[in-house]
Amino acid sequence: MPVDYEINAHKYWNDFYKIHENGFFKDRHWLFTEFPELAPSQNQNPLKGLFWENKSEILESRSSEDGPGLIIEEQHKCSLNSLRHETQMPPVEENVTKKLSQLKICADEFPGSSATYRILEVGCGVGNTVFPILQTNNDPGLFVYCCDFSSTAIELVQTNPEYDPSRCFAFVHDLCDEDKSYPVPTDSLDIIVLIFVLSAVVPDKMQKAINRLSKLLKPGGMMLLRDYGRYDMAQLRFKKGQCLSGNFYVRGDGTRVYFFTQDELDTLFTTAGLEKVQNLVDRRLQVNRGKQLTMYRVWIQCKYRKPLLSNTS
């Protein structure tokens, strides 16, 4: 049965988007608080946004797991990393690296080849991350790439009235397919975004997927992740028989999900040659006042950077 879920994974996700279209997930406008690297005028200030304070706010959540109308009491805890790991790029070294990077890619024409700031979202769904970025970040040098395993999802992105081919390129891609390349050259991306997508991948394929993505980042480029943490409410609610392997489960609709620890994600990223900037647990108390339910969510948020220059011994 686990083999069936792997072979037919694209079918399960296509069916999911055919049923829900663009009405299931809400636009992630919280992105710019958690990941200021995606917002305009913040690109040059990687320190901003690493200061975490206790706060309360109302957020939309995955309705199939949480139900509508949730009020979330939010507490950010357990940062594995302090600001001493976050250092400003040396201006001269940064400029040299950027110029070398531009020289490498200027000979090739590809979508967004003339852009000065490139963002790729992997597992974009129907655009709930991409469209807020395009709406909020009006940097004329910005170009956003987005891909998804589901051809149905990509069709919904491309037919969205806000889809602008001059600023965005959406394409179908399986991040586990080692034979299929991305439509951008190596060392060409400033930011790669992974929002609740790596957890849908079979665990033994995760490392190679991250390795390939890491090669696409420019020196100094950043990989941003937010995903399910170990013992999240969604994990505890799975019934007997839904566990495919350790901490890897199948939902009722055939889609799958893995629940991470901070150390597991740190190993994935550092093995791919990236340096830790942030790795923290985000614990949230969700209260559904209508159903009088209290639910504890556990998510992990990471930022890992590609070194500016390769270390040579």
Side-chain angles (χ1 to χ4, degrees):
M1 186 64 73
V3 176
D4 171 72
Y5 293 125
E6 175 67 6
I7 294 174
N8 294 311
H10 65 287
K11 175 185 179 297
Y12 292 119
W13 281 109
N14 278 336
D15 289 346
F16 173 88
Y17 287 112
K18 285 175 183 175
I19 293 169
H20 300 288
E21 295 188 342
N22 59 359
F24 190 79
F25 299 106
K26 302 298 182 183
D27 285 351
R28 296 162 173 157
H29 292 286
W30 52 262
L31 280 169
F32 309 107
T33 301
E34 313 297 359
F35 298 130
E37 296 84 359
L38 302 174
S41 75
Q42 304 294 338
N43 299 338
Q44 306 308 317
N45 188 0
L47 279 174
K48 191 166 182 179
L50 294 183
F51 296 92
W52 289 79
E53 299 176 348
N54 289 342
K55 57 186 181 292
S56 295
E57 60 185 11
I58 295 176
L59 294 176
E60 298 290 348
S61 302
R62 183 184 170 105
S63 56
S64 67
E65 294 173 358
D66 308 326
L70 290 170
I71 296 179
I72 299 171
E73 301 293 333
E74 176 184 16
Q75 286 188 328
H76 296 290
K77 301 179 181 178
C78 307
S79 176
L80 283 186
N81 217 51
S82 69
L83 288 176
R84 66 177 176 270
H85 294 292
E86 176 66 42
T87 56
Q88 293 282 5
M89 297 178 183
V92 175
E93 186 178 350
E94 180 183 4
N95 289 336
V96 170
T97 303
K98 282 185 176 180
K99 287 178 180 178
L100 288 172
S101 181
Q102 290 297 329
L103 284 173
K104 284 183 181 179
I105 63 178
C106 67
D108 299 319
E109 285 296 326
F110 58 95
S113 58
S114 61
T116 56
Y117 200 78
R118 303 183 187 89
I119 298 172
L120 165 66
E121 188 195 7
V122 180
C124 64
V126 297
N128 300 107
T129 295
V130 169
F131 291 124
I133 291 174
L134 292 172
Q135 291 163 3
T136 305
N137 194 333
N138 57 4
D139 179 354
L142 172 70
F143 196 89
V144 180
Y145 308 86
C146 58
C147 63
D148 200 277
F149 192 38
S150 167
S151 57
T152 302
I154 292 301
E155 184 178 351
L156 288 167
V157 170
Q158 293 173 335
T159 55
N160 188 304
E162 296 189 42
Y163 182 71
D164 181 357
S166 70
R167 302 185 68 213
C168 182
F169 180 68
F171 58 100
V172 177
H173 188 87
D174 176 2
L175 79 164
C176 295
D177 188 345
E178 298 181 43
D179 298 322
K180 189 174 181 181
S181 61
Y182 289 87
V184 295
T186 57
D187 302 326
S188 65
L189 298 175
D190 294 274
I191 299 289
I192 294 176
V193 184
L194 298 155
I195 305 290
F196 297 105
V197 61
L198 193 61
S199 53
V201 172
V202 176
D204 62 10
K205 294 185 178 181
M206 290 179 183
Q207 187 64 67
K208 287 185 177 180
I210 295 297
N211 291 350
R212 287 192 295 274
L213 287 171
S214 176
K215 293 176 182 177
L216 302 179
L217 284 173
K218 294 177 181 177
M222 195 98 72
M223 203 172 294
L224 312 177
L225 174 139
R226 189 171 178 82
D227 220 320
Y228 297 102
R230 190 69 49 85
Y231 308 125
D232 174 61
M233 174 206 72
Q235 180 177 14
L236 301 179
R237 287 175 57 180
F238 277 111
K239 295 182 174 64
K240 185 178 179 180
Q242 289 184 280
C243 185
L244 300 174
S245 61
N247 302 296
F248 191 48
Y249 299 80
V250 61
R251 300 186 182 98
D253 60 6
T255 62
R256 298 164 299 173
V257 59
Y258 186 82
F259 296 87
F260 293 99
T261 65
Q262 290 170 278
D263 287 342
E264 286 173 339
L265 287 167
D266 185 69
T267 298
L268 285 171
F269 289 124
T270 55
T271 300
L274 304 179
E275 299 174 339
K276 179 169 62 179
V277 174
Q278 181 189 76
N279 182 325
L280 58 82
V281 175
D282 182 357
R283 304 181 190 277
R284 300 180 184 229
L285 172 64
Q286 295 183 339
V287 181
N288 188 320
R289 300 198 187 280
K291 296 183 179 180
Q292 295 296 301
L293 293 176
T294 299
M295 297 165 287
Y296 295 91
R297 303 310 306 265
V298 181
W299 293 313
I300 298 179
Q301 182 164 304
C302 297
K303 301 181 183 183
Y304 281 75
R305 175 184 291 139
K306 190 171 187 176
L308 278 173
L309 296 174
S310 299
N311 293 325
T312 57
S313 53

